[in-house]
Amino acid sequence: MKKIRFDDCVCKTQLIDHDRIKDSLLDYIKNDSHIENIDRSGYYNDSVSKCDYKLCKDLNRSWVKKLIPNLNISLQEMFSSMGYTGYSLIDMWYHQYSEGDTYGWHYHGLQYAGIYYLEFSKNCGRTQMCSPYSFKKQKIEVREGDVVIFPAHLIHRALPNGKERKTAISFNLKISGPYLNLDLIR
């Protein structure tokens, strides 16, 4: 067996109007009565203080509906830059990390995955990615308000969080639309 190295793409941009919607999104999460703690400290080494993953297919939750218009502007820019004419949002959920919380190595099952860093300081745990080609690890440098999308097969994790709370919104996407921008490919 031989592995063939091939370029792949991770895109990052700042969410439109992050400062305008941040507080209302955090208020929703603060008041969310659906609290799901993740503690799979055995094999996966996961510990997340609060999340709503079990509701990820419900894209009609109020915080999701508030975020989607802004997120769509950023996503359209990123997918267009890669030659795709459309995408579909499949699911979305939040993770809120307290001191020491972490989420172990994993991958997603669709074409693209994404993370919006809703609440993030320089002391928060970074996202680390690992290429299945070389298993070389790389931290993704982000700041609060950034949106990152990446091929869902990339192995990634959230490193242990520092003292300041971190809130990230994760989502999965698939490419849709009948056309590619062939001018970019030529």
Side-chain angles (χ1 to χ4, degrees):
M1 193 259 330
K2 178 180 179 175
K3 289 183 179 180
I4 300 170
R5 183 179 296 276
F6 200 82
D7 287 342
D8 219 329
C9 189
V10 174
C11 293
K12 177 177 79 169
T13 192
Q14 183 76 184
L15 183 83
I16 300 297
D17 289 334
H18 162 74
D19 292 330
R20 187 179 59 77
I21 66 170
K22 173 187 172 183
D23 290 339
S24 62
L25 292 173
L26 287 171
D27 282 345
Y28 173 86
I29 291 169
K30 176 183 174 185
N31 297 318
D32 187 9
S33 61
H34 175 82
I35 298 174
E36 178 184 345
N37 292 8
I38 296 175
D39 185 1
R40 300 185 299 176
S41 52
Y43 179 75
Y44 292 103
N45 195 31
D46 299 342
S47 174
V48 178
S49 294
K50 187 174 184 181
C51 94
D52 70 345
Y53 179 76
K54 289 181 182 174
L55 301 175
C56 70
K57 297 289 183 200
D58 179 5
L59 299 178
N60 289 313
R61 289 168 287 161
S62 60
W63 72 267
V64 174
K65 287 169 50 173
K66 184 163 191 71
L67 174 59
I68 284 177
N70 300 58
L71 184 62
N72 278 335
I73 295 168
S74 299
L75 292 175
Q76 185 60 46
E77 172 193 8
M78 290 187 279
F79 278 109
S80 292
S81 78
M82 295 186 287
Y84 303 117
T85 59
Y87 62 90
S88 297
L89 180 64
I90 303 303
D91 50 27
M92 181 179 285
W93 64 99
Y94 66 78
H95 282 138
Q96 201 162 61
Y97 297 83
S98 297
E99 184 175 3
D101 283 354
T102 185
Y103 202 92
W105 290 113
H106 65 285
Y107 60 92
H108 296 225
L110 288 168
Q111 293 168 327
Y112 279 86
I115 305 167
Y116 164 44
Y117 296 88
L118 173 61
E119 186 177 38
F120 191 84
S121 74
K122 65 179 182 172
N123 298 318
C124 289
R126 301 282 188 242
T127 300
Q128 189 176 46
M129 292 189 177
C130 177
S131 162
Y133 174 81
S134 65
F135 300 105
K136 180 181 176 187
K137 299 173 199 156
Q138 180 177 345
K139 290 180 189 172
I140 303 299
E141 293 302 321
V142 296
R143 60 188 173 105
E144 184 177 287
D146 279 349
V147 177
V148 176
I149 63 170
F150 52 93
H153 71 271
L154 284 181
I155 303 163
H156 59 285
R157 68 178 173 177
L159 293 170
N161 197 49
K163 291 184 181 203
E164 295 178 51
R165 186 177 70 188
K166 172 177 116 177
T167 306
I169 295 176
S170 298
F171 49 93
N172 289 311
L173 306 142
K174 69 178 182 177
I175 299 164
S176 64
Y179 306 107
L180 289 169
N181 182 346
L182 296 179
D183 290 335
L184 291 175
I185 299 170
R186 292 183 185 142

